[in-house]
């Protein structure tokens, strides 16, 4: 409860200070043509949309602001503070957000990517750790309430290692790199681009791709506050269209995709292309399939994935209660699919 109250306090600060003019009203009134987007620095179509100004071109009458966040936990806090409208966020923090005690009023409206080799658990050279079971008694870092944190817990569970047998510390990706360089950590579960730096002096123990095969998939999702959807459905449609356009760029013009992502991450096009190749990006037509978002007639299996993630988080005592499937299905925004992505 103390942790939840601290989240609410932080949210109140964000609501009044983080995102400017629209924060006080929540930025969701139909007359307020403002869109406040939260993005993260991982290779995705979302960075292409930002870099190329695709949403600004699609909605010239809107004031659009982009704010960088380091993890899904801080994004959830911002949603609680009504200081953002749309965000790129991992499936594990979304599962937390849809569960008690947070119960954040937002909806999943896009699948940015499916985690592959772009998220992984790495043991530092010299740590003596050669497999996940070897993490007993070791210090491991990951950003709490992130997909990486979820995957770390899943990896430990799969290897028969209790969470209490490992010292898990909460660090953002850049802080992980600093602690890694100092030799303070034995291992870390993180994502690109910081993951590439960890691998230069470490060994990959397991990746999110392997965990997905074992039944614990993680994704990066696009979520939109319910209030914003109700006030600006046409803007949500425009945002979905440009995100779909970015997926087409990744699939059909990898050089252009790498250039845009590289500029956002301060990487060479070659390095950006290498990082993009480690993720799994759906085709726009796949988004409305039964496997993912689905349609108005039938919500897809993504809802079941989020319930499964919530069940795992509850088993790890990370949330208070698991939402039922019907509730989560209502939090999948499928209006207009698949036609709206054309």
């Amino acid at each position: 409860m103390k942790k939840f109250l601290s989240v609410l306090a932080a949210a109140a600060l964000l609501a009044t200070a983080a995102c400017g003019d629209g924060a006080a009203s929540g930025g969701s009134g139909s007359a307020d043509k403002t869109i406040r987007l939260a993005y993260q620095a991982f290779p995705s179509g979302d960075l292409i949309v930002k870099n190329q100004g695709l949403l600004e071109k699609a909605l010239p009458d809107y004031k659009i602001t982009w704010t960088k966040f380091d993890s899904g936990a801080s994004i959830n806090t911002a949603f609680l503070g009504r200081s953002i409208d749309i965000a790129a966020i991992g499936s594990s923090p979304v599962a937390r957000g849809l569960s008690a005690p947070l119960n954040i009023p937002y909806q999943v409206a896009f699948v940015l990517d499916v985690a592959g080799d772009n998220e992984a658990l790495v043991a530092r050279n010299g740590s003596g750790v050669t497999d996940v079971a070897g993490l007993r008694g070791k210090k491991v870092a990951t950003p709490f309430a992130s997909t990486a944190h979820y995957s770390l817990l899943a990896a430990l569970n799969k290897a028969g290692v209790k969470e209490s047998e490992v010292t898990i510390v909460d660090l953002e990706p850049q802080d992980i790199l600093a602690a890694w360089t100092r030799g303070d950590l034995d291992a870390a579960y993180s994502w690109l681009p910081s993951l590439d730096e960890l691998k230069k002096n470490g060994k990959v123990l397991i990746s999110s791709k392997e965990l997905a095969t074992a039944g614990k998939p993680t994704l990066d999702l696009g979520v939109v506050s319910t209030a914003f959807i109700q006030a600006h459905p046409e803007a949500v449609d425009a945002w979905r269209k440009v995100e779909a356009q970015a997926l087409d760029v990744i699939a059909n013009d990898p050089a252009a995709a790498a250039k845009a992502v590289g500029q956002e991450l301060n990487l060479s096009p070659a390095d950006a292309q290498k990082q993009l190749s480690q993720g799994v990006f759906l085709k726009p037509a796949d988004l409305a399939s039964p496997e993912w978002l689905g349609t108005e007639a039938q919500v897809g299996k993504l809802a079941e994935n989020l319930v499964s993630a919530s069940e795992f988080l509850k088993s790890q005592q990370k949330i208070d209660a698991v939402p039922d499937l019907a509730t989560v299905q209502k939090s999948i925004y499928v209006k207009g699919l698949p036609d709206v992505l054309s």
Side-chain angles (χ1 to χ4, degrees), residues 79-93:
F79 270 115
L80 284 169
R82 296 187 300 167
S83 57
I84 56 175
D85 304 306
I86 301 176
I89 180 173
S91 55
S92 179

Side-chain angles (χ1 to χ4, degrees), residues 7 10 31 50 65 68 72 74 82 84 99 123-124 130 181 188-189 193 200 217 219 286 288 307 313-314:
V7 168
K50 177 180 181 293
T65 60
K68 181 177 177 292
S74 57
R82 296 187 300 167
I84 56 175
S99 304
R124 187 175 54 81
T130 58
T181 302
Y189 209 123
K200 290 178 181 178
L219 311 93
D286 294 336
V307 171
L313 292 170
K314 179 65 169 65

